[in-house]
Amino acid sequence: MTDLSQPAVAERPVFTHVQVRSIIFGVLLAILMGALDQTIISVALPVLSAELGGFDWLAWVVSGYLVAVAVATPIYGKLGDVYGRPRVLSASIGIFLAASVLCALSTSMTMLVVARVLQGIGGGGLISISQGIIADVVSPRERGRYQGYVSGTYAVASVAGPLLGGVLTNYLSWRWVFWINIPLGVLAFLVSRRALARLAPPKVERRIDYTGAVLLSIGLTALLVGITRIGQGHAVADATNLSLFGASLLVLAMFLWQQSRAPEPILPLYLFRIPTVVLCCGILFIAFAQVVSLSVLIPLRLQMLTGSGASGAALQLVPLTLSIPLGAFIGGRTMARVGRFRPLQLMGASVVPVGIAGLALIDPQHAWFSAAMMVIIGTGIGLQFPTALVAVQSAVPRRDVGVATATAAFSRSLGAAISVAVLTAMLLSSLQSAAPQVAGALSGGELMKDLVGGALAQIGGEDRVRLVAAAAQSFSHLFKIAAAISLLSLFMAWRLPDTTLAGPAAQK
């Protein structure tokens, strides 16, 4: 019987530093393209919805992409293990570019949403396969350093995306938000194809569990669509939502049964008997959920409580956005030197609850103190990202590195999708229950719009003050809940085995 706690070491090609740098550059281009498309469209949404009509479909322009990425990610991991990651990465770039053209040529919101779903199917491969390639070319001990570059790429996308989207929309057209992918995609294809030529496809013939892939796609799609509907204001007990959740539960149960009997399962269930994999996927789920939640809550609180504009509120997020890659860089470099990930996980998981609790207790007007708390949070989360992924990759046999990497990436995507839906539903409900009597007839969504847009300015000053105080109380409660949830990461980090990673120590 194979010892799952000590996976066999397989041979890997030996690359020079120049070759590794070339491969990483191609990989980062692909990741940048996939990550950029999650943020670049945000500024263009009002303009494109006005031109194409169909405001009811507006949320699905974003959600359709995120749901498709989450569903496709674990499947791409298995495809990369079977057919070779360079080949699958090229295919996902092709799908992404074809979908980008369809998005740019869309003549209706329905066509745009369908094209965005197709784009998400390609985007799932860009992200998961690229991170698996890093595991193919560098040793476990060195991976943290390169995963820090990945986190930096995400930070660039989150900062540059809205800015680039605004420039393209204002001076050209919203369609250029999608046309810009063509030169980026062609460059990523050419660079990655040339750089990855030495990564030969696997020599062992392995079959694909197509039945499992279909069941997983259907089950996850139903689950994430139901969760997204809740975040958009539909009741949990809505008949459509109950049908979606019931179907998801049934189909995912069938998927698990299929995985237990398939010779080459899409998601090997033995992975979840490895403590490091389970714990690190849980850490990544919570960490990414916190990033997404704070990215929504912090600007929204500023706009609702201080009257800050959208651009000013977005600038307040810069400390969080920049400190995440800083923490990832520090974590990756330190892990490469000491060869251990548990101490870094404990350090990151210990400071994040402190930073979030600090945000709950301070006045949003105190910009410098808020910035300090965001730096603490971002650095802590940054320490967790690369170390958790490298821990997952090092805990499994090399033949399953792709599917393990995709499972970790899926945990991040699932955390993002669920946190957005749950956070939005909790905020709407909290606003409605905490609002003073004068605004009691308004829904949570109407209160949010009124506070941001100043539509309640005609209400007397005292009522206005009470309304703002109720909103402040709602945000404080949400931050406290987020801080409590982040304590789960500390518990999981404490349970991690203190493993020494394979590979030589990095040079200082």
Coordinates of all heavy atoms in Angstrom, one line a residue, residues 400-450:
D400 N -0.3 13.8 -9.1 CA -1.6 14.4 -8.8 C -1.3 15.9 -8.4 O -2.2 16.5 -7.8 CB -2.2 13.7 -7.6 CG -2.8 12.4 -8.0 OD1 -3.3 12.3 -9.2 OD2 -2.8 11.5 -7.2
V401 N -0.2 16.5 -8.7 CA 0.1 17.9 -8.4 C -0.9 18.8 -9.1 O -1.4 19.8 -8.5 CB 1.6 18.3 -8.8 CG1 1.7 19.8 -8.9 CG2 2.5 17.7 -7.8
G402 N -1.2 18.5 -10.3 CA -2.2 19.4 -11.1 C -3.5 19.4 -10.4 O -4.1 20.5 -10.2
V403 N -4.1 18.2 -10.1 CA -5.4 18.2 -9.5 C -5.4 18.7 -8.1 O -6.4 19.4 -7.6 CB -6.0 16.8 -9.6 CG1 -5.4 15.9 -8.6 CG2 -7.5 16.8 -9.4
A404 N -4.3 18.6 -7.4 CA -4.2 19.1 -6.0 C -4.1 20.7 -6.1 O -4.8 21.4 -5.3 CB -3.0 18.6 -5.3
T405 N -3.4 21.2 -7.0 CA -3.3 22.6 -7.2 C -4.6 23.2 -7.6 O -5.0 24.3 -7.1 CB -2.2 23.0 -8.3 OG1 -1.0 22.4 -8.0 CG2 -2.1 24.5 -8.5
A406 N -5.3 22.5 -8.5 CA -6.7 23.0 -8.9 C -7.6 22.9 -7.8 O -8.5 23.8 -7.7 CB -7.2 22.1 -10.1
T407 N -7.5 21.9 -6.9 CA -8.4 21.8 -5.7 C -8.2 23.0 -4.8 O -9.1 23.6 -4.3 CB -8.1 20.5 -5.0 OG1 -8.4 19.4 -5.8 CG2 -9.1 20.4 -3.8
A408 N -6.9 23.4 -4.6 CA -6.6 24.6 -3.8 C -7.1 25.8 -4.5 O -7.7 26.7 -3.8 CB -5.1 24.7 -3.6
A409 N -7.0 26.0 -5.8 CA -7.5 27.1 -6.5 C -9.0 27.2 -6.4 O -9.6 28.2 -6.3 CB -7.0 27.1 -7.9
F410 N -9.6 26.0 -6.5 CA -11.1 25.9 -6.4 C -11.6 26.4 -5.0 O -12.6 27.0 -4.9 CB -11.6 24.5 -6.7 CG -13.0 24.2 -6.4 CD1 -14.0 24.8 -7.1 CD2 -13.4 23.4 -5.3 CE1 -15.3 24.6 -6.8 CE2 -14.7 23.2 -5.0 CZ -15.7 23.8 -5.8
S411 N -10.8 26.0 -4.0 CA -11.2 26.5 -2.6 C -11.2 28.0 -2.6 O -12.1 28.6 -1.9 CB -10.2 25.9 -1.6 OG -10.2 24.5 -1.6
R412 N -10.2 28.6 -3.2 CA -10.2 30.1 -3.3 C -11.4 30.6 -4.0 O -12.1 31.6 -3.5 CB -8.9 30.6 -3.9 CG -7.7 30.3 -3.1 CD -6.4 30.6 -3.9 NE -6.4 32.0 -4.5 CZ -5.4 32.7 -4.8 NH1 -4.2 32.1 -4.6 NH2 -5.5 33.9 -5.4
S413 N -11.7 30.1 -5.2 CA -12.8 30.5 -6.0 C -14.2 30.3 -5.2 O -15.0 31.2 -5.3 CB -12.9 29.8 -7.3 OG -11.7 30.0 -8.1
L414 N -14.3 29.2 -4.6 CA -15.5 28.9 -3.8 C -15.7 29.9 -2.7 O -16.8 30.4 -2.4 CB -15.5 27.5 -3.3 CG -16.8 26.9 -2.8 CD1 -17.9 26.9 -4.0 CD2 -16.6 25.5 -2.3
G415 N -14.6 30.2 -2.0 CA -14.6 31.2 -0.9 C -15.1 32.5 -1.4 O -15.9 33.2 -0.7
A416 N -14.6 32.9 -2.6 CA -15.0 34.2 -3.1 C -16.5 34.3 -3.5 O -17.2 35.2 -3.1 CB -14.1 34.5 -4.4
A417 N -16.9 33.2 -4.2 CA -18.3 33.2 -4.6 C -19.3 33.1 -3.4 O -20.3 33.9 -3.4 CB -18.6 32.0 -5.5
I418 N -19.0 32.3 -2.4 CA -19.9 32.2 -1.3 C -19.8 33.4 -0.4 O -20.9 33.9 0.1 CB -19.5 30.9 -0.5 CG1 -19.8 29.7 -1.2 CG2 -20.2 30.9 0.9 CD1 -19.5 28.4 -0.6
S419 N -18.6 34.0 -0.2 CA -18.5 35.2 0.7 C -19.3 36.4 0.1 O -19.9 37.1 0.9 CB -17.1 35.5 0.9 OG -16.5 36.0 -0.3
V420 N -19.2 36.6 -1.2 CA -19.9 37.7 -1.8 C -21.4 37.6 -1.6 O -22.1 38.5 -1.2 CB -19.6 37.8 -3.3 CG1 -20.6 38.7 -4.0 CG2 -18.2 38.3 -3.5
A421 N -22.0 36.3 -1.8 CA -23.4 36.1 -1.7 C -23.8 36.2 -0.2 O -24.8 36.9 0.1 CB -23.8 34.7 -2.2
V422 N -23.1 35.6 0.7 CA -23.5 35.6 2.1 C -23.3 37.0 2.7 O -24.2 37.5 3.4 CB -22.7 34.6 2.9 CG1 -22.9 34.7 4.4 CG2 -23.0 33.2 2.4
L423 N -22.2 37.7 2.3 CA -22.0 39.0 2.8 C -23.1 40.0 2.4 O -23.6 40.8 3.2 CB -20.6 39.5 2.3 CG -20.3 41.0 2.5 CD1 -20.1 41.3 4.0 CD2 -19.2 41.4 1.7
T424 N -23.4 39.9 1.1 CA -24.5 40.8 0.6 C -25.8 40.6 1.3 O -26.5 41.6 1.7 CB -24.6 40.7 -0.9 OG1 -23.3 40.8 -1.5 CG2 -25.6 41.7 -1.5
A425 N -26.2 39.3 1.5 CA -27.4 39.0 2.1 C -27.4 39.5 3.6 O -28.4 40.0 4.0 CB -27.7 37.5 2.0
M426 N -26.3 39.3 4.3 CA -26.2 39.7 5.7 C -26.3 41.2 5.8 O -27.0 41.7 6.7 CB -25.0 39.1 6.3 CG -24.9 37.6 6.5 SD -23.4 37.1 7.2 CE -23.4 37.9 8.8
L427 N -25.6 41.9 4.9 CA -25.6 43.4 5.0 C -27.0 43.9 4.7 O -27.5 44.8 5.4 CB -24.6 43.9 4.0 CG -24.5 45.5 3.9 CD1 -24.1 46.0 5.3 CD2 -23.5 45.9 2.9
L428 N -27.7 43.4 3.7 CA -29.0 43.9 3.4 C -30.0 43.6 4.6 O -30.8 44.5 4.9 CB -29.6 43.2 2.1 CG -28.8 43.5 0.8 CD1 -29.4 42.7 -0.3 CD2 -28.9 45.0 0.5
S429 N -29.9 42.4 5.1 CA -30.8 42.1 6.3 C -30.5 43.0 7.5 O -31.4 43.5 8.2 CB -30.6 40.6 6.6 OG -31.4 40.3 7.7
S430 N -29.2 43.2 7.8 CA -28.8 43.9 8.9 C -29.2 45.4 8.8 O -29.6 46.0 9.8 CB -27.2 43.8 9.1 OG -26.8 44.6 10.2
L431 N -29.0 46.0 7.6 CA -29.4 47.3 7.4 C -30.9 47.5 7.7 O -31.4 48.5 8.3 CB -29.1 47.8 6.0 CG -27.6 48.1 5.7 CD1 -27.4 48.4 4.2 CD2 -27.2 49.3 6.5
Q432 N -31.7 46.6 7.1 CA -33.2 46.7 7.3 C -33.6 46.6 8.7 O -34.5 47.3 9.2 CB -33.9 45.7 6.4 CG -35.4 45.9 6.2 CD -36.0 45.1 5.1 OE1 -35.4 44.0 4.8 NE2 -37.1 45.5 4.6
S433 N -33.0 45.7 9.5 CA -33.4 45.5 10.9 C -32.9 46.6 11.8 O -33.5 46.8 12.8 CB -32.9 44.1 11.3 OG -31.5 44.0 11.3
A434 N -31.8 47.2 11.5 CA -31.2 48.2 12.3 C -31.6 49.6 12.0 O -31.4 50.5 12.8 CB -29.6 48.1 12.2
A435 N -32.3 49.8 10.9 CA -32.7 51.1 10.4 C -33.7 51.7 11.4 O -34.6 51.0 11.9 CB -33.2 51.1 9.0
P436 N -33.7 53.0 11.6 CA -34.8 53.6 12.5 C -36.1 53.6 11.8 O -36.3 53.2 10.6 CB -34.3 55.1 12.6 CG -33.4 55.3 11.4 CD -32.8 54.0 11.1
Q437 N -37.1 53.9 12.6 CA -38.5 53.7 12.2 C -38.8 54.5 10.9 O -39.6 54.1 10.0 CB -39.5 54.2 13.3 CG -40.9 53.9 13.0 CD -41.2 52.4 13.0 OE1 -40.6 51.6 13.7 NE2 -42.1 52.0 12.1
V438 N -38.2 55.7 10.7 CA -38.5 56.5 9.6 C -38.1 55.8 8.2 O -38.7 56.1 7.2 CB -37.7 57.8 9.7 CG1 -36.2 57.6 9.6 CG2 -38.2 58.8 8.6
A439 N -37.2 54.9 8.3 CA -36.8 54.2 7.1 C -37.2 52.8 7.1 O -36.7 52.0 6.2 CB -35.3 54.4 6.9
G440 N -38.0 52.4 8.0 CA -38.3 51.0 8.2 C -39.0 50.4 7.0 O -39.0 49.2 6.8
A441 N -39.7 51.2 6.2 CA -40.5 50.7 5.1 C -39.6 50.3 3.9 O -40.0 49.7 2.9 CB -41.5 51.7 4.6
L442 N -38.3 50.8 3.9 CA -37.4 50.6 2.8 C -36.7 49.3 3.0 O -36.4 48.8 4.1 CB -36.4 51.7 2.7 CG -36.9 53.1 2.5 CD1 -35.8 54.1 2.6 CD2 -37.6 53.2 1.1
S443 N -36.4 48.6 1.8 CA -35.6 47.4 1.9 C -34.1 47.7 2.2 O -33.7 48.9 2.1 CB -35.7 46.6 0.6 OG -35.1 47.4 -0.5
G444 N -33.4 46.6 2.5 CA -31.9 46.9 2.7 C -31.3 47.4 1.5 O -30.4 48.3 1.6
G445 N -31.6 46.9 0.3 CA -31.0 47.4 -0.9 C -31.3 48.9 -1.2 O -30.5 49.7 -1.6
E446 N -32.6 49.3 -0.9 CA -33.0 50.7 -1.0 C -32.2 51.6 0.0 O -31.8 52.7 -0.4 CB -34.5 50.9 -0.9 CG -35.3 50.2 -2.0 CD -36.8 50.2 -1.7 OE1 -37.1 50.0 -0.5 OE2 -37.6 50.2 -2.6
L447 N -32.0 51.1 1.2 CA -31.3 51.9 2.2 C -29.8 52.1 1.7 O -29.3 53.2 1.9 CB -31.3 51.2 3.5 CG -32.6 51.2 4.3 CD1 -32.6 50.3 5.5 CD2 -32.9 52.7 4.8
M448 N -29.3 51.0 1.2 CA -27.9 51.1 0.7 C -27.7 52.1 -0.4 O -26.8 53.0 -0.4 CB -27.4 49.7 0.2 CG -25.9 49.6 -0.1 SD -25.5 48.0 -0.7 CE -26.0 46.9 0.6
K449 N -28.6 52.1 -1.4 CA -28.6 53.0 -2.5 C -28.8 54.5 -2.0 O -28.1 55.4 -2.4 CB -29.6 52.7 -3.5 CG -29.3 51.4 -4.3 CD -30.5 51.0 -5.2 CE -30.2 49.7 -5.9 NZ -31.4 49.3 -6.8
D450 N -29.7 54.6 -1.0 CA -30.0 56.0 -0.5 C -28.9 56.6 0.2 O -28.6 57.7 0.1 CB -31.3 55.9 0.4 CG -32.6 55.7 -0.5 OD1 -32.5 56.1 -1.6 OD2 -33.5 55.2 0.1

